[in-house]
Amino acid sequence: FMPIDRLNIFSDAVFATITTFMVVPLKEEVQSYDVTEDLWTSLVADWYRFLVFVISFLIVSTLWQDHVWILQKVEHVGDVGLILNVLLLLVASVIPFLAALMGDFYRYPLTSRLFGGCILTLSVVQGIMIALAFRRSKMLSDHLEGDKTKKWMSVEFLSTAGLKIVLSALSIGIAGASVPASLVLLAVAMFTDWICIIVIAVYRSRKDQSFSTGIRTHLCRRFVFEDVDIDRTQTFTDGVFIIVATLIILDITADSLVPLNGKMTEEALYEALLDKKEALLAYISTFVTIGMIWYINYSMVYYIQRLSRLLLLFNRLTLLFVSIVPLGFQLVSLFSVEEAGTNENIAVQFHCILILFTSVFQLLFWVAAHWKRDKHIASSLGGLHRKRIFCLLLVYPIASLVIFCAAFSTSVFKVNTIHAVELSIPFIFLLIKLIIELVLHKRDSQ
Amino acid sequence: FMPIDRLNIFSDAVFATITTFMVVPLKEEVQSYDVTEDLWTSLVADWYRFLVFVISFLIVSTLWQDHVWILQKVEHVGDVGLILNVLLLLVASVIPFLAALMGDFYRYPLTSRLFGGCILTLSVVQGIMIALAFRRSKMLSDHLEGDKTKKWMSVEFLSTAGLKIVLSALSIGIAGASVPASLVLLAVAMFTDWICIIVIAVYRSRKDQSFSTGIRTHLCRRFVFEDVDIDRTQTFTDGVFIIVATLIILDITADSLVPLNGKMTEEALYEALLDKKEALLAYISTFVTIGMIWYINYSMVYYIQRLSRLLLLFNRLTLLFVSIVPLGFQLVSLFSVEEAGTNENIAVQFHCILILFTSVFQLLFWVAAHWKRDKHIASSLGGLHRKRIFCLLLVYPIASLVIFCAAFSTSVFKVNTIHAVELSIPFIFLLIKLIIELVLHKRDSQ
Ligand SMILES: [K+]
Ligand SMILES: [K+]
Ligand SMILES: [K+]
Ligand SMILES: [K+]
Ligand SMILES: [K+]
Ligand SMILES: [K+]
Ligand SMILES: [K+]
């Protein structure tokens, strides 16, 4: 038997890698934009690429979440489980390719069928894993041994997997008739766990004295009070942040040198590299911004002692937007040329919207954790540190909103302002820290 | 104060990501090879790209190793330490770009100066981190409190960092005169820890009664008996394996669709995708091969209770070759066309050499662990499991040697043979496992 911990970390890291790779086709597409054309028009024309990105993000992060649910119930993994797990990861890692294919050939039923086939395979593998875990009860954690809980748990897990198989098979079937409908079905298939939980709650509270109290108890238990593995969430989150922050250097490495000529003089090379400093500056800004957003996440999760399904949802939404943040930086540095005119302002606004959504979902995570605070947050969090975290959480929403509004002015917005703001935010964080230290020091000396 | 664990895992993952990104410029270069030209000639003509790859791998993995050394001595990290750490990671993540630049413009002193400047910055940041750690002794682990050990430790650490600064500054200075000499100096700078340990051992054993016994004691203590953090080594190793295994899907995602035409018919798209099945098969083979090599690593490290500098060296060499394995698969699928003729055999041989080196260094790791076995290997490892691990370790060297020799035959070698062999190896592993289970079962029933 293999210890579950290393398998979990390994799987989390693979899922995080797959999640972040899906933004690559978007980045390739954005590079081909004409800077003189209106940016909103170009972005809107690519709506289906963004839709496919969101749906594939939803699919991979749900897959990860299901993996956490299943393995949270398991104590040991045998060889068959190990092989199924590798098969799951291998099939899942093809999703970025299928998503890119889908973006390029949106109207072809074939791509939609391939995508559905991939999800169907994944659901079948998951179903086998669940069946295996519940059959060999020695693999289950001890706290699940209560017969009634175990029975309902197995009903819920198997019906979730079954419904997912049915929906993805249906999605393949109707791809010929309508590609959008097939995509919608795949998206719905990602909420089968919610659907099954609600249906089971309704069924179980049928016999209770008060239907509405019963259903609220059942739903509350599953959505608010049930633990999600915090360590695994942290590994997955850290993995996404790390790869998103460093993925841009890969772009600079692979592509930025192509226009340079191998036979140029040393001076010409120096000039050419100076031209690349925009890209390098954009990289440093992205790295710092994503590092700071990670730092906020780290500060919050440090005090979280129980992670509910609701909190996890906000965490996933944060990750969804974080993984597009490099796209915003890319657009900003792409449109920072003179020919772009006021298009530069639109690029800045797009960038601000991404940062705004990321930081607002972080804020919602923390606000949601304060509802039933004693369950979610460790009692060691004092009032002062709570204020500090709220201050940190407000910096990015305010900064991005101010820049967003300022970019409406007709004068051409300088992209360097963005970099100046982004690179000054660590100092604001340090200032907040310093003020807290001073207050603590004053309080101690009194 | 921040707990050291999450910082360590975060840094390990960033270093692993940077390490694997360095193969990207090699992959881009290989894609432009002419399949009708002799492959050995093309590869030899790119010797400096491979040299730059090896040197940058050496630099990043030494950087990671130094990070482990420094933080192994530290208990807590304050804000200044945290910022220095982020700065270190940020500067380190530019190395893949500088390596790509170096590969493209090998003869220009400017690229060599930029590379040297990057290493100089990193060495200075490391030096500040070390000075900080030794000044605030409350940050040091308790077992280092012995005054004499601490003094020599600080001398060793600071002289290592100082020598590194001097060598990289020198490397920038002589870049104008000779680019190769500047590169050699950078490579030497990566062994400053070894140099300092040896010099200090000679100095300290000067006063001992027997010089040769004294020096052997000192060196043995630092090279063989000193612990390296096994958890961090595992995180770094896993990170490299995961990103190497999945990086190819990024290639397929970003590049493989370019030749397809957006206005083709559904049938034409289907045909075009069938042509891509080679690339997908190569991906699956790579994923499976790297997964199996990871499994061997996992099986060995499971029983390792003490990791010495020597074992770490073999681990790093394994990782060096693992990170080029995808290049071998890429060449094999690139040269599997009819025009390539016997070039296909050379591609297969190149692939086999990579697998051979990877697996031989894994074997050497295990053999080295058997020297002073009671120190390195947990006593829980029975004779049967030791045999199993040796069997696993022999599969890849034998398979790659056999295919390498078979590829010398003048008949054109079919690339599918490679995939068939690679995909059958998991079954060989399962067979070995089955035999062990049978023997154990028989032994139990006796
Ligand atoms: K568990
Ligand atoms: K490319
Ligand atoms: K290139
Ligand atoms: K926590
Ligand atoms: K430590
Ligand atoms: K494309
Ligand atoms: K171990």
Side-chain angles (χ1 to χ4, degrees), chain A residues 3 6 79 93 108-110 238 249 264 266 283 298 433, chain B residues 3 6 79 93 108-110 234 238 249 264 266 283 298 433:
Chain A
R6 200 173 170 186
D79 284 314
S93 68
Y108 296 75
L110 176 64
D238 285 3
I249 204 71
M264 59 199 348
E266 173 109 8
Y283 170 66
Y298 164 76
K433 173 98 191 175
Chain B
R6 197 170 171 191
D79 284 314
S93 68
Y108 295 76
L110 176 64
Q234 225 165 45
D238 284 2
I249 204 72
M264 60 201 344
E266 173 110 6
Y283 171 66
Y298 164 77
K433 173 99 191 173

PDB file of all heavy atoms in Angstrom, chain A residues 3 6 79 93 108-110 238 249 264 266 283 298 433, chain B residues 3 6 79 93 108-110 234 238 249 264 266 283 298 433:
ATOM      1  N   PRO A   3       1.417   5.219   0.818  1.00  0.00           N
ATOM      2  CA  PRO A   3       0.861   6.255   1.686  1.00  0.00           C
ATOM      3  C   PRO A   3       0.128   7.293   0.842  1.00  0.00           C
ATOM      4  O   PRO A   3       0.576   7.662  -0.236  1.00  0.00           O
ATOM      5  CB  PRO A   3       2.086   6.857   2.366  1.00  0.00           C
ATOM      6  CG  PRO A   3       3.239   6.455   1.532  1.00  0.00           C
ATOM      7  CD  PRO A   3       2.876   5.177   0.861  1.00  0.00           C
ATOM      8  N   ARG A   6       1.719  11.383  -0.364  1.00  0.00           N
ATOM      9  CA  ARG A   6       2.532  11.753  -1.510  1.00  0.00           C
ATOM     10  C   ARG A   6       1.725  11.659  -2.801  1.00  0.00           C
ATOM     11  O   ARG A   6       1.897  12.466  -3.709  1.00  0.00           O
ATOM     12  CB  ARG A   6       3.782  10.857  -1.596  1.00  0.00           C
ATOM     13  CG  ARG A   6       4.835  11.513  -2.442  1.00  0.00           C
ATOM     14  CD  ARG A   6       6.161  10.800  -2.455  1.00  0.00           C
ATOM     15  NE  ARG A   6       7.011  11.372  -3.476  1.00  0.00           N
ATOM     16  CZ  ARG A   6       8.184  10.900  -3.818  1.00  0.00           C
ATOM     17  NH1 ARG A   6       8.684   9.856  -3.192  1.00  0.00           N
ATOM     18  NH2 ARG A   6       8.873  11.478  -4.775  1.00  0.00           N
ATOM     19  N   ASP A  79      -2.456  -1.053  -5.718  1.00  0.00           N
ATOM     20  CA  ASP A  79      -1.898  -0.899  -7.057  1.00  0.00           C
ATOM     21  C   ASP A  79      -2.950  -0.517  -8.090  1.00  0.00           C
ATOM     22  O   ASP A  79      -2.688   0.299  -8.961  1.00  0.00           O
ATOM     23  CB  ASP A  79      -1.199  -2.190  -7.485  1.00  0.00           C
ATOM     24  CG  ASP A  79       0.138  -2.325  -6.795  1.00  0.00           C
ATOM     25  OD1 ASP A  79       0.875  -1.329  -6.776  1.00  0.00           O
ATOM     26  OD2 ASP A  79       0.428  -3.399  -6.261  1.00  0.00           O
ATOM     27  N   SER A  93      -4.769  15.406 -18.632  1.00  0.00           N
ATOM     28  CA  SER A  93      -3.753  16.314 -19.164  1.00  0.00           C
ATOM     29  C   SER A  93      -3.935  16.573 -20.655  1.00  0.00           C
ATOM     30  O   SER A  93      -3.253  17.424 -21.225  1.00  0.00           O
ATOM     31  CB  SER A  93      -2.353  15.771 -18.878  1.00  0.00           C
ATOM     32  OG  SER A  93      -2.127  14.612 -19.623  1.00  0.00           O
ATOM     33  N   TYR A 108     -17.312  22.978 -35.261  1.00  0.00           N
ATOM     34  CA  TYR A 108     -17.261  21.592 -35.745  1.00  0.00           C
ATOM     35  C   TYR A 108     -17.730  20.637 -34.657  1.00  0.00           C
ATOM     36  O   TYR A 108     -17.143  20.595 -33.570  1.00  0.00           O
ATOM     37  CB  TYR A 108     -15.847  21.222 -36.148  1.00  0.00           C
ATOM     38  CG  TYR A 108     -15.318  22.011 -37.316  1.00  0.00           C
ATOM     39  CD1 TYR A 108     -14.917  23.328 -37.175  1.00  0.00           C
ATOM     40  CD2 TYR A 108     -15.246  21.423 -38.577  1.00  0.00           C
ATOM     41  CE1 TYR A 108     -14.441  24.054 -38.245  1.00  0.00           C
ATOM     42  CE2 TYR A 108     -14.762  22.137 -39.658  1.00  0.00           C
ATOM     43  CZ  TYR A 108     -14.364  23.458 -39.489  1.00  0.00           C
ATOM     44  OH  TYR A 108     -13.894  24.156 -40.554  1.00  0.00           O
ATOM     45  N   PRO A 109     -18.779  19.832 -34.930  1.00  0.00           N
ATOM     46  CA  PRO A 109     -19.255  18.861 -33.936  1.00  0.00           C
ATOM     47  C   PRO A 109     -18.134  17.905 -33.489  1.00  0.00           C
ATOM     48  O   PRO A 109     -18.130  17.457 -32.353  1.00  0.00           O
ATOM     49  CB  PRO A 109     -20.345  18.107 -34.676  1.00  0.00           C
ATOM     50  CG  PRO A 109     -20.802  19.033 -35.736  1.00  0.00           C
ATOM     51  CD  PRO A 109     -19.603  19.837 -36.133  1.00  0.00           C
ATOM     52  N   LEU A 110     -17.163  17.629 -34.393  1.00  0.00           N
ATOM     53  CA  LEU A 110     -16.100  16.672 -34.073  1.00  0.00           C
ATOM     54  C   LEU A 110     -15.343  17.085 -32.812  1.00  0.00           C
ATOM     55  O   LEU A 110     -15.100  16.261 -31.925  1.00  0.00           O
ATOM     56  CB  LEU A 110     -15.128  16.573 -35.262  1.00  0.00           C
ATOM     57  CG  LEU A 110     -13.908  15.686 -35.033  1.00  0.00           C
ATOM     58  CD1 LEU A 110     -14.312  14.241 -34.832  1.00  0.00           C
ATOM     59  CD2 LEU A 110     -12.933  15.799 -36.202  1.00  0.00           C
ATOM     60  N   ASP A 238      -1.320  26.845  -4.396  1.00  0.00           N
ATOM     61  CA  ASP A 238       0.076  27.249  -4.565  1.00  0.00           C
ATOM     62  C   ASP A 238       0.587  26.863  -5.938  1.00  0.00           C
ATOM     63  O   ASP A 238       1.273  27.641  -6.601  1.00  0.00           O
ATOM     64  CB  ASP A 238       0.960  26.575  -3.502  1.00  0.00           C
ATOM     65  CG  ASP A 238       0.789  27.225  -2.151  1.00  0.00           C
ATOM     66  OD1 ASP A 238      -0.044  28.143  -2.034  1.00  0.00           O
ATOM     67  OD2 ASP A 238       1.467  26.819  -1.205  1.00  0.00           O
ATOM     68  N   ILE A 249       7.612  33.743 -18.420  1.00  0.00           N
ATOM     69  CA  ILE A 249       9.025  33.688 -18.787  1.00  0.00           C
ATOM     70  C   ILE A 249       9.216  32.663 -19.916  1.00  0.00           C
ATOM     71  O   ILE A 249      10.111  32.790 -20.741  1.00  0.00           O
ATOM     72  CB  ILE A 249       9.920  33.372 -17.567  1.00  0.00           C
ATOM     73  CG1 ILE A 249      11.338  33.878 -17.794  1.00  0.00           C
ATOM     74  CG2 ILE A 249       9.968  31.900 -17.233  1.00  0.00           C
ATOM     75  CD1 ILE A 249      11.498  35.361 -17.769  1.00  0.00           C
ATOM     76  N   MET A 264      23.508  39.819 -36.420  1.00  0.00           N
ATOM     77  CA  MET A 264      23.559  41.252 -36.126  1.00  0.00           C
ATOM     78  C   MET A 264      24.829  41.582 -35.323  1.00  0.00           C
ATOM     79  O   MET A 264      25.488  40.699 -34.780  1.00  0.00           O
ATOM     80  CB  MET A 264      22.308  41.689 -35.356  1.00  0.00           C
ATOM     81  CG  MET A 264      22.160  40.953 -34.068  1.00  0.00           C
ATOM     82  SD  MET A 264      20.501  40.954 -33.314  1.00  0.00           S
ATOM     83  CE  MET A 264      19.593  42.151 -34.194  1.00  0.00           C
ATOM     84  N   GLU A 266      26.999  43.399 -32.152  1.00  0.00           N
ATOM     85  CA  GLU A 266      26.788  43.452 -30.704  1.00  0.00           C
ATOM     86  C   GLU A 266      25.901  44.641 -30.312  1.00  0.00           C
ATOM     87  O   GLU A 266      25.032  44.518 -29.459  1.00  0.00           O
ATOM     88  CB  GLU A 266      28.164  43.551 -30.022  1.00  0.00           C
ATOM     89  CG  GLU A 266      28.137  43.784 -28.537  1.00  0.00           C
ATOM     90  CD  GLU A 266      28.570  42.569 -27.737  1.00  0.00           C
ATOM     91  OE1 GLU A 266      29.031  41.587 -28.356  1.00  0.00           O
ATOM     92  OE2 GLU A 266      28.431  42.602 -26.521  1.00  0.00           O
ATOM     93  N   TYR A 283       6.736  41.095 -17.174  1.00  0.00           N
ATOM     94  CA  TYR A 283       6.938  39.845 -16.434  1.00  0.00           C
ATOM     95  C   TYR A 283       7.117  40.114 -14.948  1.00  0.00           C
ATOM     96  O   TYR A 283       6.492  39.479 -14.098  1.00  0.00           O
ATOM     97  CB  TYR A 283       8.150  39.082 -16.983  1.00  0.00           C
ATOM     98  CG  TYR A 283       8.525  37.918 -16.096  1.00  0.00           C
ATOM     99  CD1 TYR A 283       7.660  36.838 -15.959  1.00  0.00           C
ATOM    100  CD2 TYR A 283       9.699  37.920 -15.366  1.00  0.00           C
ATOM    101  CE1 TYR A 283       7.970  35.790 -15.128  1.00  0.00           C
ATOM    102  CE2 TYR A 283      10.019  36.874 -14.536  1.00  0.00           C
ATOM    103  CZ  TYR A 283       9.152  35.809 -14.418  1.00  0.00           C
ATOM    104  OH  TYR A 283       9.449  34.777 -13.585  1.00  0.00           O
ATOM    105  N   TYR A 298      -2.383  33.381   1.371  1.00  0.00           N
ATOM    106  CA  TYR A 298      -1.632  32.709   2.436  1.00  0.00           C
ATOM    107  C   TYR A 298      -2.047  33.246   3.800  1.00  0.00           C
ATOM    108  O   TYR A 298      -2.300  32.469   4.733  1.00  0.00           O
ATOM    109  CB  TYR A 298      -0.133  32.924   2.213  1.00  0.00           C
ATOM    110  CG  TYR A 298       0.677  32.620   3.427  1.00  0.00           C
ATOM    111  CD1 TYR A 298       0.931  31.310   3.794  1.00  0.00           C
ATOM    112  CD2 TYR A 298       1.145  33.642   4.240  1.00  0.00           C
ATOM    113  CE1 TYR A 298       1.642  31.029   4.932  1.00  0.00           C
ATOM    114  CE2 TYR A 298       1.852  33.370   5.379  1.00  0.00           C
ATOM    115  CZ  TYR A 298       2.102  32.055   5.732  1.00  0.00           C
ATOM    116  OH  TYR A 298       2.792  31.780   6.864  1.00  0.00           O
ATOM    117  N   LYS A 433       1.802  46.519   7.413  1.00  0.00           N
ATOM    118  CA  LYS A 433       2.494  45.668   8.386  1.00  0.00           C
ATOM    119  C   LYS A 433       3.156  46.524   9.465  1.00  0.00           C
ATOM    120  O   LYS A 433       3.077  46.236  10.671  1.00  0.00           O
ATOM    121  CB  LYS A 433       3.542  44.843   7.629  1.00  0.00           C
ATOM    122  CG  LYS A 433       4.464  44.020   8.487  1.00  0.00           C
ATOM    123  CD  LYS A 433       4.013  42.595   8.573  1.00  0.00           C
ATOM    124  CE  LYS A 433       4.802  41.877   9.645  1.00  0.00           C
ATOM    125  NZ  LYS A 433       4.358  40.530   9.875  1.00  0.00           N
TER     126      LYS A 433
ATOM    127  N   PRO B   3       5.929  30.351   9.138  1.00  0.00           N
ATOM    128  CA  PRO B   3       6.425  28.981   9.273  1.00  0.00           C
ATOM    129  C   PRO B   3       7.260  28.616   8.052  1.00  0.00           C
ATOM    130  O   PRO B   3       6.905  28.954   6.920  1.00  0.00           O
ATOM    131  CB  PRO B   3       5.158  28.136   9.365  1.00  0.00           C
ATOM    132  CG  PRO B   3       4.071  28.991   8.830  1.00  0.00           C
ATOM    133  CD  PRO B   3       4.475  30.400   9.052  1.00  0.00           C
ATOM    134  N   ARG B   6       5.886  26.042   4.534  1.00  0.00           N
ATOM    135  CA  ARG B   6       5.184  26.419   3.304  1.00  0.00           C
ATOM    136  C   ARG B   6       6.105  27.215   2.388  1.00  0.00           C
ATOM    137  O   ARG B   6       6.047  27.079   1.172  1.00  0.00           O
ATOM    138  CB  ARG B   6       3.927  27.228   3.639  1.00  0.00           C
ATOM    139  CG  ARG B   6       2.993  27.268   2.466  1.00  0.00           C
ATOM    140  CD  ARG B   6       1.637  27.838   2.779  1.00  0.00           C
ATOM    141  NE  ARG B   6       0.899  28.020   1.534  1.00  0.00           N
ATOM    142  CZ  ARG B   6      -0.237  28.680   1.429  1.00  0.00           C
ATOM    143  NH1 ARG B   6      -0.793  29.203   2.488  1.00  0.00           N
ATOM    144  NH2 ARG B   6      -0.826  28.804   0.265  1.00  0.00           N
ATOM    145  N   ASP B  79      10.148  39.139   7.823  1.00  0.00           N
ATOM    146  CA  ASP B  79       9.710  39.799   6.592  1.00  0.00           C
ATOM    147  C   ASP B  79      10.864  40.060   5.632  1.00  0.00           C
ATOM    148  O   ASP B  79      10.726  39.914   4.423  1.00  0.00           O
ATOM    149  CB  ASP B  79       9.008  41.116   6.931  1.00  0.00           C
ATOM    150  CG  ASP B  79       7.615  40.865   7.450  1.00  0.00           C
ATOM    151  OD1 ASP B  79       6.910  40.055   6.825  1.00  0.00           O
ATOM    152  OD2 ASP B  79       7.250  41.441   8.477  1.00  0.00           O
ATOM    153  N   SER B  93      14.169  33.167 -11.966  1.00  0.00           N
ATOM    154  CA  SER B  93      13.232  32.770 -13.022  1.00  0.00           C
ATOM    155  C   SER B  93      13.561  33.415 -14.361  1.00  0.00           C
ATOM    156  O   SER B  93      12.963  33.069 -15.376  1.00  0.00           O
ATOM    157  CB  SER B  93      11.797  33.087 -12.602  1.00  0.00           C
ATOM    158  OG  SER B  93      11.614  34.473 -12.543  1.00  0.00           O
ATOM    159  N   TYR B 108      28.451  36.332 -28.612  1.00  0.00           N
ATOM    160  CA  TYR B 108      28.393  37.730 -28.207  1.00  0.00           C
ATOM    161  C   TYR B 108      28.727  37.874 -26.719  1.00  0.00           C
ATOM    162  O   TYR B 108      28.032  37.285 -25.884  1.00  0.00           O
ATOM    163  CB  TYR B 108      27.007  38.308 -28.452  1.00  0.00           C
ATOM    164  CG  TYR B 108      26.626  38.361 -29.910  1.00  0.00           C
ATOM    165  CD1 TYR B 108      26.243  37.221 -30.599  1.00  0.00           C
ATOM    166  CD2 TYR B 108      26.648  39.567 -30.600  1.00  0.00           C
ATOM    167  CE1 TYR B 108      25.899  37.262 -31.935  1.00  0.00           C
ATOM    168  CE2 TYR B 108      26.299  39.625 -31.933  1.00  0.00           C
ATOM    169  CZ  TYR B 108      25.926  38.473 -32.598  1.00  0.00           C
ATOM    170  OH  TYR B 108      25.579  38.518 -33.909  1.00  0.00           O
ATOM    171  N   PRO B 109      29.768  38.653 -26.379  1.00  0.00           N
ATOM    172  CA  PRO B 109      30.111  38.851 -24.964  1.00  0.00           C
ATOM    173  C   PRO B 109      28.940  39.406 -24.158  1.00  0.00           C
ATOM    174  O   PRO B 109      28.818  39.130 -22.973  1.00  0.00           O
ATOM    175  CB  PRO B 109      31.258  39.864 -25.017  1.00  0.00           C
ATOM    176  CG  PRO B 109      31.830  39.721 -26.373  1.00  0.00           C
ATOM    177  CD  PRO B 109      30.713  39.328 -27.270  1.00  0.00           C
ATOM    178  N   LEU B 110      28.033  40.173 -24.822  1.00  0.00           N
ATOM    179  CA  LEU B 110      26.919  40.786 -24.103  1.00  0.00           C
ATOM    180  C   LEU B 110      26.063  39.742 -23.387  1.00  0.00           C
ATOM    181  O   LEU B 110      25.712  39.905 -22.213  1.00  0.00           O
ATOM    182  CB  LEU B 110      26.059  41.591 -25.095  1.00  0.00           C
ATOM    183  CG  LEU B 110      24.802  42.225 -24.522  1.00  0.00           C
ATOM    184  CD1 LEU B 110      25.145  43.264 -23.476  1.00  0.00           C
ATOM    185  CD2 LEU B 110      23.959  42.842 -25.619  1.00  0.00           C
ATOM    186  N   GLN B 234      12.416  15.631  -2.176  1.00  0.00           N
ATOM    187  CA  GLN B 234      11.277  14.961  -2.784  1.00  0.00           C
ATOM    188  C   GLN B 234      10.373  15.966  -3.505  1.00  0.00           C
ATOM    189  O   GLN B 234       9.930  15.708  -4.629  1.00  0.00           O
ATOM    190  CB  GLN B 234      10.482  14.269  -1.679  1.00  0.00           C
ATOM    191  CG  GLN B 234      10.088  12.872  -2.029  1.00  0.00           C
ATOM    192  CD  GLN B 234       9.629  12.113  -0.803  1.00  0.00           C
ATOM    193  OE1 GLN B 234       8.872  12.620   0.013  1.00  0.00           O
ATOM    194  NE2 GLN B 234      10.078  10.901  -0.681  1.00  0.00           N
ATOM    195  N   ASP B 238       9.766  15.719  -7.418  1.00  0.00           N
ATOM    196  CA  ASP B 238       8.404  15.521  -7.923  1.00  0.00           C
ATOM    197  C   ASP B 238       8.006  16.653  -8.859  1.00  0.00           C
ATOM    198  O   ASP B 238       7.407  16.411  -9.910  1.00  0.00           O
ATOM    199  CB  ASP B 238       7.408  15.475  -6.757  1.00  0.00           C
ATOM    200  CG  ASP B 238       7.461  14.161  -6.017  1.00  0.00           C
ATOM    201  OD1 ASP B 238       8.300  13.321  -6.390  1.00  0.00           O
ATOM    202  OD2 ASP B 238       6.683  13.971  -5.081  1.00  0.00           O
ATOM    203  N   ILE B 249       2.374  18.496 -23.599  1.00  0.00           N
ATOM    204  CA  ILE B 249       1.001  18.805 -23.995  1.00  0.00           C
ATOM    205  C   ILE B 249       0.894  20.295 -24.321  1.00  0.00           C
ATOM    206  O   ILE B 249       0.073  20.698 -25.152  1.00  0.00           O
ATOM    207  CB  ILE B 249      -0.021  18.369 -22.911  1.00  0.00           C
ATOM    208  CG1 ILE B 249      -1.396  18.148 -23.531  1.00  0.00           C
ATOM    209  CG2 ILE B 249      -0.129  19.365 -21.777  1.00  0.00           C
ATOM    210  CD1 ILE B 249      -1.514  16.928 -24.372  1.00  0.00           C
ATOM    211  N   MET B 264     -11.594  24.495 -43.141  1.00  0.00           N
ATOM    212  CA  MET B 264     -11.631  23.161 -43.737  1.00  0.00           C
ATOM    213  C   MET B 264     -12.964  22.466 -43.398  1.00  0.00           C
ATOM    214  O   MET B 264     -13.689  22.889 -42.502  1.00  0.00           O
ATOM    215  CB  MET B 264     -10.446  22.333 -43.252  1.00  0.00           C
ATOM    216  CG  MET B 264     -10.430  22.153 -41.771  1.00  0.00           C
ATOM    217  SD  MET B 264      -8.832  21.726 -41.026  1.00  0.00           S
ATOM    218  CE  MET B 264      -7.817  21.208 -42.324  1.00  0.00           C
ATOM    219  N   GLU B 266     -15.354  19.209 -42.118  1.00  0.00           N
ATOM    220  CA  GLU B 266     -15.284  18.331 -40.939  1.00  0.00           C
ATOM    221  C   GLU B 266     -14.411  17.107 -41.235  1.00  0.00           C
ATOM    222  O   GLU B 266     -13.624  16.687 -40.399  1.00  0.00           O
ATOM    223  CB  GLU B 266     -16.714  17.906 -40.559  1.00  0.00           C
ATOM    224  CG  GLU B 266     -16.792  16.875 -39.473  1.00  0.00           C
ATOM    225  CD  GLU B 266     -17.342  17.432 -38.166  1.00  0.00           C
ATOM    226  OE1 GLU B 266     -17.766  18.587 -38.149  1.00  0.00           O
ATOM    227  OE2 GLU B 266     -17.322  16.696 -37.173  1.00  0.00           O
ATOM    228  N   TYR B 283       3.358  11.802 -26.784  1.00  0.00           N
ATOM    229  CA  TYR B 283       3.052  12.379 -25.470  1.00  0.00           C
ATOM    230  C   TYR B 283       2.757  11.291 -24.452  1.00  0.00           C
ATOM    231  O   TYR B 283       3.288  11.302 -23.332  1.00  0.00           O
ATOM    232  CB  TYR B 283       1.879  13.351 -25.576  1.00  0.00           C
ATOM    233  CG  TYR B 283       1.393  13.798 -24.234  1.00  0.00           C
ATOM    234  CD1 TYR B 283       2.209  14.573 -23.410  1.00  0.00           C
ATOM    235  CD2 TYR B 283       0.150  13.411 -23.736  1.00  0.00           C
ATOM    236  CE1 TYR B 283       1.798  14.965 -22.160  1.00  0.00           C
ATOM    237  CE2 TYR B 283      -0.266  13.795 -22.484  1.00  0.00           C
ATOM    238  CZ  TYR B 283       0.555  14.563 -21.704  1.00  0.00           C
ATOM    239  OH  TYR B 283       0.152  14.945 -20.453  1.00  0.00           O
ATOM    240  N   TYR B 298      10.498   7.013  -6.471  1.00  0.00           N
ATOM    241  CA  TYR B 298       9.632   6.951  -5.298  1.00  0.00           C
ATOM    242  C   TYR B 298       9.936   5.703  -4.461  1.00  0.00           C
ATOM    243  O   TYR B 298      10.068   5.771  -3.239  1.00  0.00           O
ATOM    244  CB  TYR B 298       8.169   6.960  -5.742  1.00  0.00           C
ATOM    245  CG  TYR B 298       7.239   6.529  -4.664  1.00  0.00           C
ATOM    246  CD1 TYR B 298       6.910   7.401  -3.637  1.00  0.00           C
ATOM    247  CD2 TYR B 298       6.723   5.243  -4.633  1.00  0.00           C
ATOM    248  CE1 TYR B 298       6.081   6.999  -2.611  1.00  0.00           C
ATOM    249  CE2 TYR B 298       5.899   4.834  -3.616  1.00  0.00           C
ATOM    250  CZ  TYR B 298       5.583   5.717  -2.602  1.00  0.00           C
ATOM    251  OH  TYR B 298       4.775   5.313  -1.587  1.00  0.00           O
ATOM    252  N   LYS B 433       6.193  -7.021  -9.647  1.00  0.00           N
ATOM    253  CA  LYS B 433       5.386  -6.877  -8.430  1.00  0.00           C
ATOM    254  C   LYS B 433       4.645  -8.174  -8.107  1.00  0.00           C
ATOM    255  O   LYS B 433       4.610  -8.624  -6.957  1.00  0.00           O
ATOM    256  CB  LYS B 433       4.389  -5.739  -8.665  1.00  0.00           C
ATOM    257  CG  LYS B 433       3.363  -5.533  -7.600  1.00  0.00           C
ATOM    258  CD  LYS B 433       3.754  -4.413  -6.674  1.00  0.00           C
ATOM    259  CE  LYS B 433       2.847  -4.416  -5.454  1.00  0.00           C
ATOM    260  NZ  LYS B 433       3.291  -3.462  -4.455  1.00  0.00           N
TER     261      LYS B 433
END
